[in-house]
Amino acid sequence: MQHETASEGSLAGVTVLEIGVFMAGPFATMQLADLGARVIKVENPAAPDPTRSTGPFLEGSDSSRHSSPFARLNRNKESVALDLKSEAGREAFLRLVAGADVLVENLRPGAMRRLGLGPDELAELNPGLVYASASGFGQDGPLAALPGLDIMAQARSGLMSITGSPDGDPVKVGVPICDLVCGLYTALAVTAALHHRDQPHGDGRGQQIDVSLLESGVSLAVWEAGKYFATGEVGRPLGSAHQAQAPYQAVRCADGWVTVGAITPKTWNGLCAALDLPHLHADPRYADSDGRHAHHAELVTEIEKATTALAAADVVAALDLAGVPCAPINDYGQVFTDPHLSRRDFFWDAEHPDAGPVRQLGSPMRLSATPARRGGAGPALGADSRAVLGEVGYTDAEMDALLGTMAP
């Protein structure tokens, strides 16, 4: 299927079908769409992506409401409304599959197979199709059939066991990190599979991709694995402190907090000089990073004797001047108006046909020749059904019968 876009990208010419709900699948395809792929989001007209009903909402011109999170997570995509449980909807979907390069789905394992749309069935129709499945716990194994939301993956992966303060209640990472990383891994695996398919040794054939929230979360335990597999020690919550080096954490100031990372000889020397701490620099317990980490509680207490007498901005200014890595802890009101991000044009407005401009988070992937695409906000349900189905041979009469009252 050919599709013209206002801005070509690295994946221009690649067509992706998404059967995605909530976060992991749609976040994966958002990355692919940002990179230029055509992403067609297929939703059940009677039970669309639940994110559509997640607030807060943007007010449309006709008093309609549009999910603000959906408008960002599903930017640069098209929407086709099909009931895959109906014979007519399934047939229409198969026509789309025949011309697609990629399918990304994040339904419960087995759901697609029960619809007759599993990877083996679709490979017979389209041998070049890359079939990517994102799920809570993977496509097989004892946990595969369980519902897997981000917080369950954070719990089982160990992330919640090391997040928070040492004596506090269990805390999850503030963003749905397992969902998001699973989406990133899925997008990366898709690009790798496409590359392999299009090489001579790939023989033009696609493959299956299985990415789980659980394994995505466990893959992040680099320091914890280094500790456990070397010594048997199990990681515990450390607040903002680093697992192996010091000082590398948030320290208290007179009016807030500042993060510091003085873990090399140069930056440690700089911190001691900037905060006028010659006695710490001379203390043999703090001569190297291992020693500082072994005594980090005492060390931070001493550092805070200096920082609590100063405003956070003054601490940052002094440490910046000394070349010591540091940063204030910003809230999102500060982040979304940050001068540095604004200067780099990170935030941008995507046009929504009913709600107007919708502010977007930029793509962190900055490519000099094929920059990330900046197209439309998340589409209305079924907004592109007629255009897309017309491309695969449906007549107006056939689309009337298939779509009924769902077509916009």
Side-chain angles (χ1 to χ4, degrees), residues 29-64:
T29 55
M30 188 191 82
Q31 310 305 320
L32 301 174
D34 282 357
L35 293 174
R38 182 188 189 184
V39 175
I40 300 171
K41 185 179 182 74
V42 179
E43 300 176 78
N44 186 330
D49 185 344
T51 306
R52 287 189 180 275
S53 59
T54 301
F57 295 94
L58 307 169
E59 297 297 328
S61 57
D62 58 355
S63 299
S64 58

Side-chain angles (χ1 to χ4, degrees), residues 19 21 105-115 117-119 131-149 182 208-214:
I19 302 180
V21 295
E105 62 92 9
N106 69 324
L107 305 182
R108 189 86 65 89
M112 291 292 283
R113 284 189 170 85
R114 289 191 292 274
L115 294 171
L117 301 173
Y131 192 115
S133 298
S135 62
F137 304 110
Q139 299 299 302
D140 54 22
L143 303 178
L146 296 179
L149 303 179
C182 179
Q208 299 174 34
I209 295 170
D210 173 6
V211 184
S212 73
L213 274 65
L214 174 61

Side-chain angles (χ1 to χ4, degrees), residues 173-187:
V173 179
V175 297
I177 190 69
C178 291
D179 266 330
L180 298 172
V181 173
C182 179
L184 292 175
Y185 278 139
T186 300

